[in-house]
């Protein structure tokens, strides 16, 4: 439970924020300003939860920014991770039949697509999937991903399936405003993927160019955040959520206050309750700092 009584301060009990394109700057780092505001929120009794499409292995360097609890909802809502201990607190995944149906559909419709399986405790890549993580074991690229479903000692269930557009190899990182020809090619790829996966998965778009992120049906950031807040005894009305991309929309809609950063996708800007500054200008931190200042300022 959130132990500090902040009901009379105007502060939310939980702040849930996306990372890439929202809390993090373009260099993927947490600014000193944001780091301080997060610490101030923690001291004020506000639980801060990162809610991200990132897998656990991309989060360890952020452990000192999530306060004393160290909890992160990751893999697009499929996993709740305690960064301080490394413990997985909650996990969701596909059953093997659904994974096979998704892979079979994509192999038939898009035979040159490169696939990857994300699990809370492991990852596997098709041999032709671009290697952007040289620190990982090359054996993770040794066989088609579907072969890992039969492997002895395979980690837990598949939490996310990645399908990479075969038309091009996108640059690393998040591109929030791709050129028009790339955007159109991406939409065509997404349409083909949706047709290939049928009812066995849902597509989430976090802004990574050329990448279809496929989640189990019913698994998204909002569902995971709702479960976590229920454990804390926190209602949706006491939650503020920040985001920038379409995969954040369910979370922003569920929360009592859904807030977009200025650089957000047009669909997010149109749906948000409020818009704050650009992620490179610490828009989330500035909004929260202003709220903290008003809530905690001594009253005359």
């Amino acid at each position: 439970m959130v132990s500090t009584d902040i009901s009379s301060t105007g502060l939310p009990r939980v702040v849930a924020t996306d990372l890439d394109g929202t809390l993090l700057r373009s260099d993927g780092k947490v600014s000193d300003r944001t780091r301080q505001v997060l610490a101030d929120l923690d001291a004020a009794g506000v639980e801060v939860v990162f809610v991200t499409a990132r897998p656990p292995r991309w989060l360890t360097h952020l452990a000192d920014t999530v306060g004393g609890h160290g909890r992160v909802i990751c893999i697009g809502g499929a996993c709740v991770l305690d960064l301080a201990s490394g413990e997985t607190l909650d996990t969701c995944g596909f059953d093997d039949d659904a994974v096979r149906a998704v892979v079979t559909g994509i192999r038939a419709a898009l035979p040159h697509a490169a696939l990857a399986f994300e699990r809370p405790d492991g990852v596997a890549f098709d041999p032709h999937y671009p290697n952007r993580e040289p620190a990982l074991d090359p054996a993770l690229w040794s066989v088609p991903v579907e072969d890992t479903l039969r492997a002895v000692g395979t980690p837990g269930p598949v939490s996310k399936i990645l399908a990479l557009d075969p038309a091009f190899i996108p640059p690393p990182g998040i591109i929030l405003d791709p050129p028009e020809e790339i955007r159109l090619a991406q939409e065509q790829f997404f349409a083909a993927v949706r047709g290939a996966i049928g009812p066995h998965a849902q597509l989430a778009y976090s802004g990574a160019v050329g990448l279809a992120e496929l989640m189990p049906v019913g698994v998204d950031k909002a569902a995971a955040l709702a479960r976590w807040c229920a454990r804390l005894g926190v209602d949706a009305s006491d939650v503020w959520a920040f985001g920038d991309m379409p995969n954040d929309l369910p979370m922003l809609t569920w929360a009592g206050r859904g807030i977009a950063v200025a650089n957000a996708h047009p669909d997010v800007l149109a749906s948000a309750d409020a818009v704050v500054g650009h992620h490179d200008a610490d828009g989330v931190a500035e909004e929260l700092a202003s709220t903290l200042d008003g809530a905690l300022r001594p009253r005359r």
Side-chain angles (χ1 to χ4, degrees):
M1 295 288 291
V2 178
S3 58
T4 303
D5 182 8
I6 58 175
S7 58
S8 63
T9 66
L11 292 169
R13 294 181 67 187
V14 170
V15 167
T17 178
D18 174 54
L19 291 177
D20 295 287
T22 301
L23 191 74
L24 305 184
R25 291 189 168 187
S26 294
D27 61 5
K29 296 180 180 179
V30 178
S31 72
D32 291 341
R33 171 62 166 162
T34 294
R35 191 179 298 274
Q36 182 59 58
V37 172
L38 294 178
D40 292 343
L41 285 168
D42 194 52
V46 178
E47 175 119 351
V48 178
V49 182
F50 292 165
V51 189
T52 178
R54 289 184 175 212
R57 65 184 181 281
W58 291 3
L59 293 166
T60 53
H61 68 291
L62 298 172
D64 63 342
T65 65
V66 288
H69 54 84
R71 288 174 191 128
V72 179
I73 295 170
C74 58
I75 320 184
C79 174
V80 179
L81 180 70
D82 187 317
L83 283 181
S85 66
E87 181 184 2
T88 298
L89 304 176
D90 188 20
T91 186
C92 301
F94 292 94
D95 62 49
D96 283 358
D97 287 345
V99 173
R100 291 190 178 94
V102 169
V103 171
T104 298
I106 293 176
R107 297 291 192 214
L110 296 159
H112 297 102
L115 302 181
F117 288 169
E118 285 282 7
R119 300 176 169 94
D121 48 0
V123 61
F125 304 93
D126 276 344
H128 60 297
Y129 198 102
N131 185 351
R132 296 286 176 75
E133 301 184 63
L136 294 180
D137 184 352
L140 296 172
W141 283 263
S142 61
V143 298
V145 289
E146 55 268 39
D147 289 358
T148 68
L149 296 174
R150 299 189 295 269
V152 176
T154 296
V158 175
S159 295
K160 181 193 287 190
I161 301 170
L162 305 177
L164 188 67
D165 190 338
F168 64 92
I169 298 176
I174 303 294
I175 294 180
L176 299 175
D177 188 20
E180 180 68 8
E181 64 272 16
I182 292 179
R183 187 187 67 78
L184 291 174
Q186 178 164 270
E187 286 303 318
Q188 291 173 355
F189 177 64
F190 284 176
V193 169
R194 288 189 182 98
I197 63 177
H200 305 291
Q202 58 189 20
L203 191 150
Y205 177 46
S206 65
V209 172
L211 188 67
E213 301 173 58
L214 307 175
M215 302 297 299
V217 174
V219 175
D220 59 24
K221 292 184 176 185
L225 181 59
R227 286 196 307 274
W228 188 252
C229 286
R231 291 188 180 187
L232 298 175
V234 174
D235 294 332
S237 59
D238 291 321
V239 180
W240 288 11
F242 294 84
D244 73 309
M245 294 303 293
N247 69 330
D248 295 317
L249 279 170
M251 175 177 73
L252 301 188
T253 301
W254 175 83
R257 191 166 184 240
I259 305 167
V261 285
N263 52 279
H265 188 281
D267 292 349
V268 179
L269 292 171
S271 300
D273 297 319
V275 178
V276 298
H278 196 284
H279 74 125
D280 280 329
D282 296 329
V284 173
E286 294 301 337
E287 173 70 10
L288 293 171
S290 176
T291 303
L292 270 169
D293 183 59
L296 304 180
R297 185 185 299 121
R299 295 178 181 175
R300 297 174 184 264

